Amino acid sequence: MYKILSKKVLNETVIEMEVHAPFVARKCLAGQFLMVMVKEDGERIPLTIADYSRERESVTIIFQVVGYTTTLMSELSEGDKLYAVTGPMGVPTHINGKLKRVLGIGGGVGVAPLYPQIKAFKEAGVHVDTILGGRNKDYVIMQDRFTDASDNLYVCTDDGSAGIKGFVTTQLQKLVDEGNEYDEVIAIGPLVMMRAVVEITKKLGIKTSVSLNPIMIDGTGMCGGCRLTYDGKTKFACVDGPDFDGFLVDFDELISRGKKYKKQEEKHMCMLDRGGN
Amino acid sequence: MSKFNMSLKKVAMPELDPKERVKGFSEVAIGYTKEMAMEEAKRCLQCKNPKCVGDCPVATPIPEFIDEVAKGNFKEAYEIIVKQNTMPAACGRVCPQETQCEGVCVRGIKGEPVAIGRLERFVADYVREHNLIETKKATANGIKVAVVGSGPAGLTCAGELAKLGYDVTIFEALHKEGGVLVYGIPEFRLPKEIVQYEIDEIKKLGVKIVTNVIIGRSITVDELVEEGFKAVFIGSGAGLPKFMGLPGENLKGVYSANEYLTRVNLMKAYQGGDNTPVQEAKNLAVIGGGNVAMDAARTALRMGVENVYIIYRRGEEELPARLEEVHHAKEEGVQFRLLNNPTEFIGDDDNWLTAVKCVEMELGEPDESGRRRPQVKADSEYEIPMDSVVISIGQSPNPLIKQTTEGLKTESWGGIIVEEETCETSKENVYAGGDVVSGAATVILAMGAGKRAAAAIDAKLNS
């Protein structure tokens, strides 16, 4: 169990792995995530299920090497085994096939969780436009897969090495200004990116779904470590989410809570800055 | 030499020195030697109508096993216990004996009751250390039963069914077996090696445990039945932490007790290194007064926190924790602020907790639980500097099973509704017991439910 079936290096810090995990693959759906442990006394980290195969009993995870555990994972090869892969966790994304036009916005490694949702909408017959953003052309991952899964694909890079030069929000504003109408926006990426998207879509009244991945320990609703303030109430990202209505999320609090173990992580000469830099 | 030991006091339990023991996670109560055990065992008067057995949730044959201890027959004593109680090493350490067996012991009328818990622990440890246990598998009957959760309820239900020949598989959501025995109760009260030993004995009966499977997500209860399990026992526990709803509760530095203990116990934060950390703190307050609160406080001391407080809104007599835990906590230097309650958590500009605002309380008339109701004392507000807070005011049943099992009736607070004697739920052939039914309670009550369910399942499937 948990054997790495294949490994692809997508860029200098992002790795894709297909892992044999029968209990996860048999039932997982878009939007759900899993917990990975590399070794017995290591930590548990949440990663979104980017893709899955019921026949191969496998799940695909795409992760950025940002800390101790992801560094250890990056050093494993095809054929090696992870210690634990548990899931699926979280509420599956609600794919409303009756929608007409959906816009997906993915930033950095956030495109990995965006992919299964976009794919599901497209398969349900919805028109899908996607904006992918990254630092430079190497950081806009999964472009081929998104091209197949979207009616229109827009790429943005900070340095202009691919697509337009600018942030995903620049492209979002452009699409809106050009008269494009969307029933729903799905924004997944660094918290600051999702916050920026919501700032625009809230004013325009376009329903926006975000996907959150705070620090988690168990992922089953047991500890409250992943809690956030949502519509003034406390919710757990692992069991009430990970998808949430972006308009009701307290992003500032989440951004602050995400930095809680920065000092400890730095002691291990790693950086805890989840979601892409 | 007289047959009975008429001493009014229990034979003292050797313990690690309080100042030394907070530097590490070694077990505090060292355990009786065999001489001490035999001496204590002779305090039992072998009552003709023993009160103790009836007050034990799993009906451990107490005078019978103690009689063997008095004679030095420890293996026989173990075999007697384990017919009714498959986890004596754990129970001997964590049962609230003072409200159960020892609470009704006749020796307790004039002096101290017989140290039943210590004797149970001694027997379990002795046979383990001397490799005297011979667990045999029963003849298989080929009937599959599924158990959800590898905590005390699930382990017990599985063990009892396996003894009757059933093919039992336990599904555990975490990566380690044991439930609250491994994630909740700290190493210094219940060493994990010992828990694993007792679990391995249950596995020797033929029980299979599959970890990393979340019933309700990886597979639902209904799907388990479709896959051929003739009955399902739900022992998923009360792993949903309660928060107070106070301002500032999401500040960095505020933990639920589940998170704090899971990080330290299950995820081994106490070993340092690359393991899951907890925040360093000079001042830490645990809000609550139960066993979990004591565990969190004593764990914090061991994690190097200089000032550890227990803030509890009622008084000493109302503390729900086991007496031994309160006693040990005080010895170790936990500062008790009884009749105090937090009202707000104060933080700095970077959202780190810096202080807790509290009020003093006084006790009024009893409430529904029978305990005197705490009331706020006027003009008693004060602030105390704090780096970390651990909210330990209780846990509710994890709602995942309820949310993913159609037709499963629950209380409004989440407890699965069952028929008391059989533990059967509103769904046929689906049973439940332990904290998922009762709310957070004890290991032994969970074990009792596991036993009743196993008996009921057997009665149904064998008829």
Side-chain angles (χ1 to χ4, degrees), chain A residues 2 26 39-41 44 86-88 90 220 222-223 225 227 229 253 256-257 261 267-268, chain B residues 175-176 212 217-218 239 241 249-250 252-256 258-259 273-275 278 280 351 398:
Chain A
Y2 318 134
R26 67 189 296 281
K39 55 192 176 85
E40 189 173 346
D41 285 334
R44 291 166 66 91
T86 317
T220 59
M222 208 184 88
C223 76
R227 65 190 184 278
T229 301
E253 183 187 79
S256 179
R257 283 178 65 81
Y261 294 97
K267 270 196 207 148
H268 303 132
Chain B
H175 56 281
K176 281 261 149 89
N212 299 311
R217 289 261 176 253
S218 315
E249 208 160 27
N250 290 346
K252 287 178 286 200
V254 180
Y255 293 91
S256 71
N258 269 0
E259 182 182 354
D274 51 285
N275 295 304
V278 287
E280 278 163 32
N351 290 318
N398 188 304

mmCIF file of all heavy atoms in Angstrom, chain A residues 2 26 39-41 44 86-88 90 220 222-223 225 227 229 253 256-257 261 267-268, chain B residues 175-176 212 217-218 239 241 249-250 252-256 258-259 273-275 278 280 351 398:
data_model
loop_
_atom_site.group_PDB
_atom_site.id
_atom_site.type_symbol
_atom_site.label_atom_id
_atom_site.label_comp_id
_atom_site.label_asym_id
_atom_site.label_seq_id
_atom_site.Cartn_x
_atom_site.Cartn_y
_atom_site.Cartn_z
ATOM 1 N N TYR A 2 0.298 2.322 -0.503
ATOM 2 C CA TYR A 2 0.925 3.638 -0.524
ATOM 3 C C TYR A 2 2.206 3.661 -1.342
ATOM 4 O O TYR A 2 3.093 4.485 -1.089
ATOM 5 C CB TYR A 2 1.197 4.164 0.892
ATOM 6 C CG TYR A 2 0.062 3.922 1.861
ATOM 7 C CD1 TYR A 2 0.305 3.425 3.138
ATOM 8 C CD2 TYR A 2 -1.263 4.181 1.505
ATOM 9 C CE1 TYR A 2 -0.728 3.195 4.028
ATOM 10 C CE2 TYR A 2 -2.308 3.950 2.384
ATOM 11 C CZ TYR A 2 -2.024 3.453 3.643
ATOM 12 O OH TYR A 2 -3.054 3.220 4.529
ATOM 13 N N ARG A 26 -11.118 4.677 -4.037
ATOM 14 C CA ARG A 26 -12.406 4.052 -4.353
ATOM 15 C C ARG A 26 -13.569 5.029 -4.323
ATOM 16 O O ARG A 26 -14.569 4.843 -4.993
ATOM 17 C CB ARG A 26 -12.681 2.850 -3.442
ATOM 18 C CG ARG A 26 -12.911 3.177 -1.994
ATOM 19 C CD ARG A 26 -12.958 1.901 -1.138
ATOM 20 N NE ARG A 26 -14.061 1.012 -1.439
ATOM 21 C CZ ARG A 26 -15.297 1.172 -1.040
ATOM 22 N NH1 ARG A 26 -15.600 2.219 -0.312
ATOM 23 N NH2 ARG A 26 -16.234 0.297 -1.368
ATOM 24 N N LYS A 39 6.914 9.215 7.180
ATOM 25 C CA LYS A 39 7.469 8.179 8.045
ATOM 26 C C LYS A 39 6.661 8.092 9.321
ATOM 27 O O LYS A 39 5.845 8.961 9.614
ATOM 28 C CB LYS A 39 8.940 8.460 8.333
ATOM 29 C CG LYS A 39 9.212 9.831 8.924
ATOM 30 C CD LYS A 39 10.710 10.113 8.899
ATOM 31 C CE LYS A 39 11.044 11.504 9.393
ATOM 32 N NZ LYS A 39 11.183 11.618 10.840
ATOM 33 N N GLU A 40 6.935 7.055 10.121
ATOM 34 C CA GLU A 40 6.087 6.742 11.255
ATOM 35 C C GLU A 40 5.934 7.876 12.257
ATOM 36 O O GLU A 40 4.845 8.168 12.713
ATOM 37 C CB GLU A 40 6.629 5.503 11.960
ATOM 38 C CG GLU A 40 5.684 4.986 13.010
ATOM 39 C CD GLU A 40 6.129 3.662 13.590
ATOM 40 O OE1 GLU A 40 7.015 3.028 12.983
ATOM 41 O OE2 GLU A 40 5.586 3.280 14.629
ATOM 42 N N ASP A 41 6.994 8.509 12.654
ATOM 43 C CA ASP A 41 6.864 9.592 13.635
ATOM 44 C C ASP A 41 6.959 10.966 13.007
ATOM 45 O O ASP A 41 7.302 11.935 13.660
ATOM 46 C CB ASP A 41 7.897 9.418 14.752
ATOM 47 C CG ASP A 41 7.485 8.299 15.699
ATOM 48 O OD1 ASP A 41 6.284 8.024 15.794
ATOM 49 O OD2 ASP A 41 8.381 7.694 16.324
ATOM 50 N N ARG A 44 1.719 14.920 9.866
ATOM 51 C CA ARG A 44 0.657 14.665 8.907
ATOM 52 C C ARG A 44 0.448 15.947 8.126
ATOM 53 O O ARG A 44 0.265 17.019 8.718
ATOM 54 C CB ARG A 44 -0.636 14.302 9.662
ATOM 55 C CG ARG A 44 -0.579 12.957 10.358
ATOM 56 C CD ARG A 44 -1.716 12.812 11.359
ATOM 57 N NE ARG A 44 -3.025 12.770 10.730
ATOM 58 C CZ ARG A 44 -3.657 11.672 10.348
ATOM 59 N NH1 ARG A 44 -3.081 10.496 10.514
ATOM 60 N NH2 ARG A 44 -4.859 11.725 9.808
ATOM 61 N N THR A 86 -4.158 8.842 3.963
ATOM 62 C CA THR A 86 -5.503 8.645 4.507
ATOM 63 C C THR A 86 -6.493 9.600 3.858
ATOM 64 O O THR A 86 -6.215 10.779 3.713
ATOM 65 C CB THR A 86 -5.508 8.936 6.013
ATOM 66 O OG1 THR A 86 -4.364 8.363 6.608
ATOM 67 C CG2 THR A 86 -6.753 8.387 6.672
ATOM 68 N N GLY A 87 -7.656 9.069 3.531
ATOM 69 C CA GLY A 87 -8.683 9.934 2.984
ATOM 70 C C GLY A 87 -9.773 9.103 2.352
ATOM 71 O O GLY A 87 -9.801 7.895 2.551
ATOM 72 N N PRO A 88 -10.678 9.709 1.578
ATOM 73 C CA PRO A 88 -10.687 11.141 1.285
ATOM 74 C C PRO A 88 -11.288 11.954 2.431
ATOM 75 O O PRO A 88 -12.113 11.454 3.185
ATOM 76 C CB PRO A 88 -11.606 11.222 0.060
ATOM 77 C CG PRO A 88 -12.528 10.057 0.198
ATOM 78 C CD PRO A 88 -11.754 8.980 0.896
ATOM 79 N N GLY A 90 -12.835 15.843 3.838
ATOM 80 C CA GLY A 90 -13.495 17.061 3.384
ATOM 81 C C GLY A 90 -14.771 16.762 2.614
ATOM 82 O O GLY A 90 -15.036 15.628 2.202
ATOM 83 N N THR A 220 -9.852 15.076 10.478
ATOM 84 C CA THR A 220 -11.164 14.453 10.620
ATOM 85 C C THR A 220 -12.077 15.226 11.559
ATOM 86 O O THR A 220 -13.108 14.718 11.977
ATOM 87 C CB THR A 220 -11.038 13.004 11.144
ATOM 88 O OG1 THR A 220 -10.367 13.047 12.415
ATOM 89 C CG2 THR A 220 -10.255 12.131 10.202
ATOM 90 N N MET A 222 -11.169 16.466 14.571
ATOM 91 C CA MET A 222 -10.897 16.089 15.943
ATOM 92 C C MET A 222 -10.216 17.174 16.762
ATOM 93 O O MET A 222 -10.272 17.150 17.980
ATOM 94 C CB MET A 222 -9.973 14.883 15.895
ATOM 95 C CG MET A 222 -10.088 13.979 17.031
ATOM 96 S SD MET A 222 -8.849 12.726 16.828
ATOM 97 C CE MET A 222 -7.469 13.483 17.625
ATOM 98 N N CYS A 223 -9.492 18.082 16.127
ATOM 99 C CA CYS A 223 -8.673 18.940 16.973
ATOM 100 C C CYS A 223 -8.947 20.431 16.856
ATOM 101 O O CYS A 223 -8.588 21.177 17.747
ATOM 102 C CB CYS A 223 -7.197 18.662 16.711
ATOM 103 S SG CYS A 223 -6.589 19.371 15.189
ATOM 104 N N GLY A 225 -7.531 22.518 14.963
ATOM 105 C CA GLY A 225 -6.347 23.287 14.577
ATOM 106 C C GLY A 225 -6.573 24.057 13.290
ATOM 107 O O GLY A 225 -5.968 25.098 13.064
ATOM 108 N N ARG A 227 -9.255 25.564 12.336
ATOM 109 C CA ARG A 227 -10.469 26.380 12.422
ATOM 110 C C ARG A 227 -10.274 27.762 11.812
ATOM 111 O O ARG A 227 -9.203 28.322 11.805
ATOM 112 C CB ARG A 227 -10.964 26.488 13.865
ATOM 113 C CG ARG A 227 -10.049 27.219 14.829
ATOM 114 C CD ARG A 227 -10.570 27.031 16.259
ATOM 115 N NE ARG A 227 -9.812 27.783 17.237
ATOM 116 C CZ ARG A 227 -8.668 27.381 17.769
ATOM 117 N NH1 ARG A 227 -8.154 26.219 17.416
ATOM 118 N NH2 ARG A 227 -8.053 28.132 18.671
ATOM 119 N N THR A 229 -12.697 31.615 10.987
ATOM 120 C CA THR A 229 -13.930 32.347 11.249
ATOM 121 C C THR A 229 -14.637 32.507 9.916
ATOM 122 O O THR A 229 -14.061 33.021 8.950
ATOM 123 C CB THR A 229 -13.637 33.719 11.882
ATOM 124 O OG1 THR A 229 -12.932 33.506 13.099
ATOM 125 C CG2 THR A 229 -14.942 34.434 12.197
ATOM 126 N N GLU A 253 -7.384 36.483 9.273
ATOM 127 C CA GLU A 253 -7.149 35.591 10.411
ATOM 128 C C GLU A 253 -6.444 34.323 9.941
ATOM 129 O O GLU A 253 -5.504 33.848 10.579
ATOM 130 C CB GLU A 253 -8.482 35.241 11.059
ATOM 131 C CG GLU A 253 -8.356 34.380 12.302
ATOM 132 C CD GLU A 253 -9.712 33.920 12.801
ATOM 133 O OE1 GLU A 253 -10.276 32.961 12.228
ATOM 134 O OE2 GLU A 253 -10.207 34.527 13.768
ATOM 135 N N SER A 256 -2.792 34.925 9.214
ATOM 136 C CA SER A 256 -2.055 35.030 10.470
ATOM 137 C C SER A 256 -1.848 33.654 11.098
ATOM 138 O O SER A 256 -0.745 33.306 11.522
ATOM 139 C CB SER A 256 -2.833 35.942 11.419
ATOM 140 O OG SER A 256 -2.165 36.034 12.642
ATOM 141 N N ARG A 257 -2.893 32.836 11.140
ATOM 142 C CA ARG A 257 -2.784 31.519 11.770
ATOM 143 C C ARG A 257 -1.849 30.602 11.003
ATOM 144 O O ARG A 257 -1.208 29.718 11.566
ATOM 145 C CB ARG A 257 -4.187 30.881 11.894
ATOM 146 C CG ARG A 257 -5.019 31.462 13.024
ATOM 147 C CD ARG A 257 -6.414 30.851 13.078
ATOM 148 N NE ARG A 257 -6.399 29.428 13.394
ATOM 149 C CZ ARG A 257 -6.280 28.923 14.603
ATOM 150 N NH1 ARG A 257 -6.156 29.736 15.637
ATOM 151 N NH2 ARG A 257 -6.287 27.620 14.798
ATOM 152 N N TYR A 261 3.747 28.295 13.098
ATOM 153 C CA TYR A 261 4.944 27.499 13.396
ATOM 154 C C TYR A 261 6.136 27.894 12.538
ATOM 155 O O TYR A 261 7.077 27.124 12.389
ATOM 156 C CB TYR A 261 4.634 25.998 13.256
ATOM 157 C CG TYR A 261 3.650 25.573 14.313
ATOM 158 C CD1 TYR A 261 2.295 25.492 14.019
ATOM 159 C CD2 TYR A 261 4.069 25.332 15.620
ATOM 160 C CE1 TYR A 261 1.385 25.163 15.003
ATOM 161 C CE2 TYR A 261 3.162 25.007 16.599
ATOM 162 C CZ TYR A 261 1.823 24.919 16.287
ATOM 163 O OH TYR A 261 0.917 24.598 17.256
ATOM 164 N N LYS A 267 13.710 26.739 12.177
ATOM 165 C CA LYS A 267 14.771 26.056 12.918
ATOM 166 C C LYS A 267 15.257 24.845 12.145
ATOM 167 O O LYS A 267 16.375 24.402 12.303
ATOM 168 C CB LYS A 267 14.249 25.592 14.294
ATOM 169 C CG LYS A 267 14.415 26.597 15.389
ATOM 170 C CD LYS A 267 14.258 25.939 16.747
ATOM 171 C CE LYS A 267 13.770 26.954 17.768
ATOM 172 N NZ LYS A 267 12.924 26.387 18.793
ATOM 173 N N HIS A 268 14.375 24.255 11.343
ATOM 174 C CA HIS A 268 14.760 23.109 10.536
ATOM 175 C C HIS A 268 15.197 23.540 9.151
ATOM 176 O O HIS A 268 15.172 22.762 8.227
ATOM 177 C CB HIS A 268 13.606 22.127 10.422
ATOM 178 C CG HIS A 268 13.123 21.655 11.740
ATOM 179 N ND1 HIS A 268 11.802 21.617 12.088
ATOM 180 C CD2 HIS A 268 13.806 21.234 12.833
ATOM 181 C CE1 HIS A 268 11.694 21.182 13.317
ATOM 182 N NE2 HIS A 268 12.871 20.942 13.796
ATOM 183 N N HIS B 175 -3.471 6.876 11.904
ATOM 184 C CA HIS B 175 -2.425 5.971 11.434
ATOM 185 C C HIS B 175 -1.948 5.028 12.523
ATOM 186 O O HIS B 175 -1.114 4.152 12.276
ATOM 187 C CB HIS B 175 -1.239 6.769 10.870
ATOM 188 C CG HIS B 175 -0.666 7.740 11.847
ATOM 189 N ND1 HIS B 175 -1.239 8.961 12.118
ATOM 190 C CD2 HIS B 175 0.422 7.659 12.642
ATOM 191 C CE1 HIS B 175 -0.531 9.609 13.018
ATOM 192 N NE2 HIS B 175 0.483 8.835 13.371
ATOM 193 N N LYS B 176 -2.460 5.247 13.756
ATOM 194 C CA LYS B 176 -2.068 4.374 14.859
ATOM 195 C C LYS B 176 -3.329 3.821 15.533
ATOM 196 O O LYS B 176 -4.365 4.493 15.590
ATOM 197 C CB LYS B 176 -1.276 5.170 15.912
ATOM 198 C CG LYS B 176 0.182 5.414 15.526
ATOM 199 C CD LYS B 176 1.135 4.437 16.192
ATOM 200 C CE LYS B 176 2.336 4.143 15.353
ATOM 201 N NZ LYS B 176 3.444 5.060 15.573
ATOM 202 N N ASN B 212 -5.822 4.060 8.765
ATOM 203 C CA ASN B 212 -5.939 5.028 7.664
ATOM 204 C C ASN B 212 -7.195 4.838 6.823
ATOM 205 O O ASN B 212 -7.190 5.119 5.623
ATOM 206 C CB ASN B 212 -4.704 4.987 6.749
ATOM 207 C CG ASN B 212 -3.443 5.338 7.503
ATOM 208 O OD1 ASN B 212 -3.390 6.330 8.225
ATOM 209 N ND2 ASN B 212 -2.431 4.502 7.377
ATOM 210 N N ARG B 217 -16.129 8.271 4.929
ATOM 211 C CA ARG B 217 -15.494 8.895 3.759
ATOM 212 C C ARG B 217 -14.873 7.841 2.867
ATOM 213 O O ARG B 217 -15.209 7.732 1.693
ATOM 214 C CB ARG B 217 -14.420 9.903 4.201
ATOM 215 C CG ARG B 217 -15.021 11.149 4.813
ATOM 216 C CD ARG B 217 -15.088 12.276 3.813
ATOM 217 N NE ARG B 217 -15.761 13.441 4.371
ATOM 218 C CZ ARG B 217 -16.989 13.828 4.023
ATOM 219 N NH1 ARG B 217 -17.667 13.159 3.139
ATOM 220 N NH2 ARG B 217 -17.527 14.898 4.575
ATOM 221 N N SER B 218 -13.928 7.046 3.386
ATOM 222 C CA SER B 218 -13.304 6.015 2.548
ATOM 223 C C SER B 218 -14.349 4.973 2.160
ATOM 224 O O SER B 218 -14.338 4.417 1.065
ATOM 225 C CB SER B 218 -12.168 5.310 3.297
ATOM 226 O OG SER B 218 -11.340 6.220 3.960
ATOM 227 N N GLY B 239 -14.582 12.810 19.381
ATOM 228 C CA GLY B 239 -13.384 13.555 19.028
ATOM 229 C C GLY B 239 -13.654 14.921 18.472
ATOM 230 O O GLY B 239 -12.872 15.431 17.693
ATOM 231 N N PRO B 241 -13.864 18.730 19.390
ATOM 232 C CA PRO B 241 -13.572 19.574 20.554
ATOM 233 C C PRO B 241 -14.601 20.680 20.724
ATOM 234 O O PRO B 241 -15.101 21.221 19.749
ATOM 235 C CB PRO B 241 -12.200 20.162 20.218
ATOM 236 C CG PRO B 241 -12.095 20.103 18.744
ATOM 237 C CD PRO B 241 -12.940 18.967 18.277
ATOM 238 N N GLU B 249 -10.675 33.639 20.565
ATOM 239 C CA GLU B 249 -10.430 32.199 20.660
ATOM 240 C C GLU B 249 -9.613 31.663 19.480
ATOM 241 O O GLU B 249 -9.029 30.586 19.567
ATOM 242 C CB GLU B 249 -11.746 31.443 20.739
ATOM 243 C CG GLU B 249 -11.631 30.132 21.482
ATOM 244 C CD GLU B 249 -12.956 29.625 21.983
ATOM 245 O OE1 GLU B 249 -13.980 29.959 21.375
ATOM 246 O OE2 GLU B 249 -12.953 28.904 22.991
ATOM 247 N N ASN B 250 -9.585 32.393 18.369
ATOM 248 C CA ASN B 250 -8.800 31.939 17.224
ATOM 249 C C ASN B 250 -7.414 32.567 17.168
ATOM 250 O O ASN B 250 -6.695 32.412 16.190
ATOM 251 C CB ASN B 250 -9.559 32.211 15.914
ATOM 252 C CG ASN B 250 -10.772 31.305 15.784
ATOM 253 O OD1 ASN B 250 -10.911 30.321 16.514
ATOM 254 N ND2 ASN B 250 -11.659 31.634 14.862
ATOM 255 N N LYS B 252 -3.476 32.965 17.698
ATOM 256 C CA LYS B 252 -2.408 31.973 17.722
ATOM 257 C C LYS B 252 -2.032 31.768 19.183
ATOM 258 O O LYS B 252 -1.818 32.726 19.914
ATOM 259 C CB LYS B 252 -1.209 32.466 16.902
ATOM 260 C CG LYS B 252 -1.490 32.410 15.410
ATOM 261 C CD LYS B 252 -0.329 32.936 14.584
ATOM 262 C CE LYS B 252 -0.248 34.440 14.665
ATOM 263 N NZ LYS B 252 0.538 35.011 13.540
ATOM 264 N N GLY B 253 -1.964 30.524 19.580
ATOM 265 C CA GLY B 253 -1.641 30.238 20.969
ATOM 266 C C GLY B 253 -2.818 29.596 21.695
ATOM 267 O O GLY B 253 -2.664 29.089 22.801
ATOM 268 N N VAL B 254 -3.993 29.597 21.058
ATOM 269 C CA VAL B 254 -5.151 28.961 21.694
ATOM 270 C C VAL B 254 -5.382 27.610 21.037
ATOM 271 O O VAL B 254 -5.582 27.531 19.828
ATOM 272 C CB VAL B 254 -6.420 29.835 21.553
ATOM 273 C CG1 VAL B 254 -7.602 29.151 22.226
ATOM 274 C CG2 VAL B 254 -6.190 31.216 22.156
ATOM 275 N N TYR B 255 -5.345 26.566 21.832
ATOM 276 C CA TYR B 255 -5.514 25.208 21.329
ATOM 277 C C TYR B 255 -6.749 24.567 21.938
ATOM 278 O O TYR B 255 -7.119 24.894 23.059
ATOM 279 C CB TYR B 255 -4.364 24.315 21.790
ATOM 280 C CG TYR B 255 -2.994 24.586 21.269
ATOM 281 C CD1 TYR B 255 -2.128 25.433 21.937
ATOM 282 C CD2 TYR B 255 -2.531 23.932 20.127
ATOM 283 C CE1 TYR B 255 -0.844 25.637 21.475
ATOM 284 C CE2 TYR B 255 -1.243 24.127 19.670
ATOM 285 C CZ TYR B 255 -0.406 24.978 20.344
ATOM 286 O OH TYR B 255 0.870 25.173 19.899
ATOM 287 N N SER B 256 -7.298 23.587 21.246
ATOM 288 C CA SER B 256 -8.233 22.692 21.921
ATOM 289 C C SER B 256 -7.344 21.665 22.612
ATOM 290 O O SER B 256 -6.210 21.425 22.191
ATOM 291 C CB SER B 256 -9.141 21.990 20.911
ATOM 292 O OG SER B 256 -8.383 21.040 20.171
ATOM 293 N N ASN B 258 -7.677 18.541 22.528
ATOM 294 C CA ASN B 258 -7.427 17.479 21.551
ATOM 295 C C ASN B 258 -6.212 17.791 20.710
ATOM 296 O O ASN B 258 -5.359 16.934 20.467
ATOM 297 C CB ASN B 258 -8.635 17.305 20.623
ATOM 298 C CG ASN B 258 -9.615 16.281 21.152
ATOM 299 O OD1 ASN B 258 -9.392 15.698 22.212
ATOM 300 N ND2 ASN B 258 -10.684 16.052 20.418
ATOM 301 N N GLU B 259 -6.122 19.030 20.234
ATOM 302 C CA GLU B 259 -4.983 19.384 19.378
ATOM 303 C C GLU B 259 -3.685 19.318 20.186
ATOM 304 O O GLU B 259 -2.696 18.736 19.754
ATOM 305 C CB GLU B 259 -5.135 20.780 18.765
ATOM 306 C CG GLU B 259 -3.957 21.100 17.832
ATOM 307 C CD GLU B 259 -3.986 22.477 17.213
ATOM 308 O OE1 GLU B 259 -4.974 23.218 17.390
ATOM 309 O OE2 GLU B 259 -2.994 22.808 16.536
ATOM 310 N N GLY B 273 12.804 17.410 17.693
ATOM 311 C CA GLY B 273 13.284 17.053 16.358
ATOM 312 C C GLY B 273 12.302 17.482 15.296
ATOM 313 O O GLY B 273 11.708 18.548 15.362
ATOM 314 N N ASP B 274 12.082 16.611 14.313
ATOM 315 C CA ASP B 274 11.260 17.017 13.183
ATOM 316 C C ASP B 274 9.793 16.697 13.392
ATOM 317 O O ASP B 274 9.015 16.716 12.471
ATOM 318 C CB ASP B 274 11.757 16.304 11.928
ATOM 319 C CG ASP B 274 11.869 14.812 12.146
ATOM 320 O OD1 ASP B 274 12.824 14.394 12.823
ATOM 321 O OD2 ASP B 274 11.009 14.058 11.651
ATOM 322 N N ASN B 275 9.433 16.365 14.619
ATOM 323 C CA ASN B 275 8.049 15.992 14.816
ATOM 324 C C ASN B 275 7.148 17.214 14.938
ATOM 325 O O ASN B 275 7.605 18.326 15.070
ATOM 326 C CB ASN B 275 7.929 15.104 16.053
ATOM 327 C CG ASN B 275 8.654 13.801 15.843
ATOM 328 O OD1 ASN B 275 8.382 13.094 14.895
ATOM 329 N ND2 ASN B 275 9.614 13.521 16.693
ATOM 330 N N VAL B 278 4.651 21.839 19.381
ATOM 331 C CA VAL B 278 3.693 22.736 20.020
ATOM 332 C C VAL B 278 4.442 24.036 20.262
ATOM 333 O O VAL B 278 5.660 24.062 20.288
ATOM 334 C CB VAL B 278 3.122 22.208 21.363
ATOM 335 C CG1 VAL B 278 2.142 21.094 21.128
ATOM 336 C CG2 VAL B 278 4.218 21.784 22.308
ATOM 337 N N GLU B 280 6.189 27.099 21.991
ATOM 338 C CA GLU B 280 6.888 27.272 23.268
ATOM 339 C C GLU B 280 6.138 28.324 24.067
ATOM 340 O O GLU B 280 5.655 29.302 23.516
ATOM 341 C CB GLU B 280 8.315 27.760 23.006
ATOM 342 C CG GLU B 280 9.233 26.621 22.651
ATOM 343 C CD GLU B 280 10.520 27.096 21.998
ATOM 344 O OE1 GLU B 280 10.992 28.204 22.334
ATOM 345 O OE2 GLU B 280 11.040 26.362 21.155
ATOM 346 N N ASN B 351 -1.667 39.003 16.226
ATOM 347 C CA ASN B 351 -2.621 37.931 16.569
ATOM 348 C C ASN B 351 -2.051 36.789 17.391
ATOM 349 O O ASN B 351 -2.512 35.660 17.290
ATOM 350 C CB ASN B 351 -3.263 37.343 15.299
ATOM 351 C CG ASN B 351 -4.208 38.332 14.662
ATOM 352 O OD1 ASN B 351 -4.961 39.008 15.360
ATOM 353 N ND2 ASN B 351 -4.152 38.452 13.361
ATOM 354 N N ASN B 398 -17.854 12.830 17.231
ATOM 355 C CA ASN B 398 -17.477 13.242 15.882
ATOM 356 C C ASN B 398 -18.671 13.012 14.966
ATOM 357 O O ASN B 398 -19.224 11.918 14.938
ATOM 358 C CB ASN B 398 -16.269 12.426 15.424
ATOM 359 C CG ASN B 398 -15.700 12.931 14.124
ATOM 360 O OD1 ASN B 398 -16.392 13.027 13.115
ATOM 361 N ND2 ASN B 398 -14.417 13.267 14.136
#
